[in-house]
Amino acid sequence: MKRWTLWVPLVIFLAVVALAAWRLTATGEAVVKSALVGKPLPEFSLPAMVDGKPGLSRGDLARGKPRLLNVFASWCVPCIAEAPQLLKLKAAGVEIDAVAIKDSPEAVKAFLSRHGDPYARIGDDRDRIVQIGIGSSGVPETFVIDGQGRIAAQHIGDIRAEDVPELLKALEAAE
């Protein structure tokens, strides 16, 4: 009888590990979506992250024309992967602003030099206050902002070539 009591903690531990592994690998709606989709952006004002680029505020995103708001970081590998798609969107006439998360001006400048710079403005959000305030849970994430400063759509994860038409359609619908 005592031999079985030694196995009970191990069995429970293995069950918890199996459950965690199953949830981490499950597909579907396992991402955290912003509760602000369809609602106005909160008020914020971020200082400039790099010289030569203005910072970012809510007012910059409510100027009558839809635009993208990209949440990124220089240390984010998927942000590197999406850089070519952001440059394609910029070449197509899309205005893109950014919130840089937990980063330094030197690292962001090097990132932009290495991977291209699609951004009109980059706000410095070292403490993730704006990121959390808009309902972003990671990097990269991209939001379609309508001309009145409301979040019209959210794209979680890196932008891939197949996502570009969807984002362009969302921008068009946000006008």
Side-chain angles (χ1 to χ4, degrees):
M1 186 81 154
K2 283 189 172 186
R3 293 177 79 192
W4 286 105
T5 59
L6 294 174
W7 288 98
V8 171
L10 179 61
V11 170
I12 292 171
F13 173 74
L14 291 175
V16 169
V17 168
L19 178 64
W22 172 69
R23 287 306 303 152
L24 288 172
T25 59
T27 58
E29 295 297 316
V31 295
V32 179
K33 295 196 177 197
S34 174
L36 291 183
V37 174
K39 298 179 182 169
L41 286 164
E43 287 295 329
F44 69 89
S45 181
L46 294 172
M49 174 52 92
V50 295
D51 291 336
K53 289 250 184 227
L56 185 66
S57 70
R58 184 198 184 284
D60 296 322
L61 299 167
R63 293 194 172 164
K65 183 179 179 189
R67 54 198 311 116
L68 294 180
L69 176 60
N70 183 247
V71 180
F72 85 107
S74 67
W75 44 264
C76 162
V77 174
C79 296
I80 296 168
E82 81 172 354
Q85 304 314 316
L86 289 171
L87 292 170
K88 286 179 187 174
L89 286 161
K90 179 183 178 184
V94 175
E95 293 184 45
I96 307 170
D97 295 310
V99 173
I101 303 304
K102 297 185 77 143
D103 229 320
S104 71
E106 299 79 21
V108 170
K109 188 174 180 180
F111 177 92
L112 298 174
S113 176
R114 207 172 303 124
H115 305 292
D117 182 0
Y119 305 119
R121 295 173 182 79
I122 304 174
D124 181 356
D125 193 17
R126 289 177 202 210
D127 297 325
R128 300 180 56 220
I129 302 299
V130 172
Q131 179 193 25
I132 292 167
I134 63 175
S136 168
S137 61
V139 289
E141 281 190 44
T142 303
F143 295 85
V144 175
I145 310 298
D146 73 9
Q148 286 69 51
R150 286 186 301 265
I151 299 174
Q154 177 185 20
H155 178 86
I156 298 171
D158 59 310
I159 298 170
R160 299 178 181 181
E162 61 267 19
D163 300 321
V164 170
E166 178 185 322
L167 284 169
L168 290 171
K169 195 179 290 186
L171 282 161
E172 187 177 314
E175 287 197 42

